[in-house]
Amino acid sequence: MSPLNPLEVRIDQGEATVAVSEHELNDAKTASQLSANLSELIEAHQHSPCGESQSHTPDCLTHNSQDNRNTFNLDLGNVGWVSSVGLNELIELNRNARNKGVQLVLTNVQSVVREVFLLTRLERIFEISWDEAQTLA
């Protein structure tokens, strides 16, 4: 199995985000490792709200005071298509996150990927931050 690049967590205005690549998500050899790494990150930090931390290390998740849940953003901006392998890993990751009280939010979803979610009706189980400009296009 080819090693993955270490996950880079961006903290912007108190929100934790991890960007994934198309290869990491869709390749059978790397997708399960990516999912395992993300699950470990979610589990290790599920009860660690960010507060005012601006660190660029994975030391926290966003704590949403409205629903008392941690939020973890998964940036799909580098994913132009998603295979069944990628969908399965996203479904499993979402299930694991929910079981741990963490809300997984998919962000920067490309139009082709958005269509896959809509056609498969997976938008019903995922929290997706739709880009309003893309939605109108």
Side-chain angles (χ1 to χ4, degrees):
M1 181 179 295
S2 60
L4 288 176
N5 293 332
L7 294 177
E8 292 185 31
V9 179
R10 293 188 317 260
I11 307 296
D12 183 28
Q13 298 179 4
E15 290 199 4
T17 302
V18 172
V20 297
S21 73
E22 194 168 276
H23 172 74
E24 288 172 323
L25 183 62
N26 291 318
D27 184 84
K29 293 179 181 178
T30 60
S32 62
Q33 184 62 47
L34 172 68
S35 182
N37 289 348
L38 289 169
S39 291
E40 285 177 20
L41 181 63
I42 287 170
E43 183 163 341
H45 304 290
Q46 68 181 344
H47 299 296
S48 303
C50 286
E52 298 300 317
S53 172
Q54 294 299 311
S55 171
H56 293 283
T57 60
D59 59 356
C60 62
L61 293 176
T62 304
H63 186 74
N64 186 335
S65 59
Q66 291 178 350
D67 59 9
N68 200 29
R69 292 175 57 131
N70 287 321
T71 301
F72 185 84
N73 297 319
L74 190 60
D75 183 345
L76 299 181
N78 294 323
V79 178
W81 66 279
V82 64
S83 69
S84 60
V85 169
L87 286 176
N88 285 332
E89 293 302 329
L90 288 173
I91 291 167
E92 183 67 16
L93 182 62
N94 190 49
R95 185 182 64 77
N96 288 339
R98 284 185 181 193
N99 288 341
K100 292 173 178 39
V102 174
Q103 182 179 23
L104 179 69
V105 179
L106 306 180
T107 64
N108 295 321
V109 180
Q110 304 277 334
S111 60
V112 172
V113 176
R114 181 181 66 224
E115 288 180 30
V116 170
F117 280 100
L118 294 173
L119 288 172
T120 59
R121 296 186 171 196
L122 287 173
E123 85 283 0
R124 294 177 178 188
I125 67 166
F126 286 96
E127 178 71 29
I128 303 174
S129 177
W130 301 112
D131 178 4
E132 197 171 309
Q134 283 185 343
T135 304
L136 298 175

